[in-house]
Amino acid sequence: MRPAPLLPAGLSELKDRYDVLLCDVWGVIHNGRESFPEACAALARWNAEVGPVVLISNAPRPASDVLSQLEQLKVPQESWAAFVTSGDATRALLAERAPGPVWTVGPVRDGPLYDGLGLAFADAEDAAFISMTGLYDDETETPEDYRERLQVAADRKLPLICANPDRVVQRGDKLIYCAGALADLYETLGGQVLMAGKPYAPIYDLALTEAERLLGRPADRSRVLCIGDGVITDVLGAENQKLDCLFIAKGIHGLKAMGPDGRLHAPAVEALLAAEGTTAAFAMGDLVW
């Protein structure tokens, strides 16, 4: 039986055990509408006093294109030292298949993912593969709106590259479907899916390369702590990489892991993790120092 997560009161209790943080973004330090000041302050303090914080996000765009969102949400630059995204990791998969043509599924804002890759674009009937960053309109659509179009692609045996493995994300007080939910549907239709973001290895390779650059030496993996609120992305990804994880239990799970007293409820935390066949070294409701 796996050990239950320890429940530290704050990140400060872990500062002697780890040198590097690989920290999720959406759900941990902001909710898409506003940043979480206590979480940002905790990361800033770690970054200044302990070691580098590398933000590791399943955003489907290159990190350079997501920085403006962090600025708009007032995430202080002091709270992180490097930033890698699923978009960064996915560009290698796309480049291998240039010039395509590719059928792209996702909003116009994700266009920078394809910059400079030399890809041609087509529809589902003429493409050689699919690249998916999300729903065209994630405020009104659901994966079921795509079933018919995805069936055409699945029947043609087109591989699908999913640039954001997240199934849902919190935007304000709503849960919004992400590309991972469409990828799940595509698999049920018989399609092949490829991913490079969390929980898959390529994004961790990028993050650890950044950590080693900042440290100026190889990273001791036993002293790297992952932080995230997604069980099947952040927690499972850390476990697959044999890295310790701090599970932020509120995030996309809301109050499911909280007791009537407003505190983290250990059995509920264990149940959330066990439901996906994984566990974490630590758990907190929200990220605080």
Side-chain angles (χ1 to χ4, degrees):
M1 187 172 177
R2 296 179 177 185
L6 300 177
L7 307 180
L11 195 56
S12 59
E13 293 185 19
L14 306 178
K15 63 186 176 65
D16 295 329
R17 299 181 61 163
Y18 300 99
D19 303 321
V20 174
L21 298 182
L22 305 185
C23 186
D24 181 35
V25 178
W26 207 312
V28 176
I29 63 176
H30 73 69
N31 65 5
R33 294 277 171 82
E34 59 190 359
S35 59
F36 305 145
E38 285 194 276
C40 293
L43 293 180
R45 192 156 176 186
W46 185 286
N47 209 35
E49 300 176 12
V50 184
V53 174
V54 179
L55 299 183
I56 176 170
S57 167
N58 267 351
R61 303 185 301 284
S64 58
D65 192 66
V66 186
L67 294 178
S68 60
Q69 183 186 39
L70 296 185
E71 293 171 5
Q72 291 167 6
L73 295 173
K74 297 182 170 53
V75 175
Q77 288 190 345
E78 296 78 17
S79 60
W80 53 277
F83 186 17
V84 300
T85 66
S86 179
D88 294 323
T90 301
R91 280 174 60 84
L93 291 178
L94 295 170
E96 291 170 1
R97 290 163 175 79
V102 56
W103 175 38
T104 61
V105 179
V108 172
R109 66 175 178 269
D110 294 335
L113 176 67
Y114 308 107
D115 288 351
L117 294 180
L119 286 163
F121 302 95
D123 57 22
E125 289 78 10
D126 301 312
F129 71 98
I130 311 163
S131 175
M132 185 172 287
T133 60
L135 288 70
Y136 293 118
D137 183 353
D138 57 18
E139 290 284 344
T140 62
E141 294 179 322
T142 74
E144 281 301 311
D145 294 316
Y146 291 77
R147 180 178 290 274
E148 193 171 319
R149 284 169 285 178
L150 290 177
Q151 186 66 68
V152 171
D155 291 343
R156 294 190 58 225
K157 309 293 186 190
L158 299 186
L160 184 155
I161 295 175
C162 176
N164 179 357
D166 287 352
R167 274 73 173 179
V168 294
V169 72
Q170 184 184 11
R171 181 178 293 156
D173 57 359
K174 295 172 60 178
L175 288 180
I176 301 294
Y177 283 110
C178 299
L182 290 174
D184 285 347
L185 173 59
Y186 195 63
E187 286 189 319
T188 69
L189 298 175
Q192 176 195 9
V193 174
L194 304 169
M195 304 194 213
K198 297 176 291 184
Y200 300 96
I203 193 170
Y204 291 94
D205 294 341
L206 285 181
L208 288 169
T209 296
E210 286 297 300
E212 292 180 343
R213 176 182 65 81
L214 293 162
L215 288 168
R217 57 175 171 79
D220 178 351
R221 295 174 76 94
S222 70
R223 294 186 62 82
V224 174
L225 179 66
C226 299
I227 303 175
D229 67 323
V231 178
I232 57 177
T233 50
D234 302 300
V235 181
L236 185 59
E239 183 173 70
N240 290 345
Q241 293 296 310
K242 297 181 169 53
L243 300 170
D244 285 350
C245 185
L246 167 58
F247 173 47
I248 302 303
K250 285 175 78 171
I252 60 173
H253 298 288
L255 300 178
K256 291 179 183 176
M258 308 304 289
D261 60 357
R263 298 188 179 191
L264 206 58
H265 186 55
V269 171
E270 292 180 56
L272 279 173
L273 297 170
E276 301 297 342
T278 189
T279 190
F282 310 99
M284 294 167 54
D286 297 298
L287 182 62
V288 299
W289 181 252

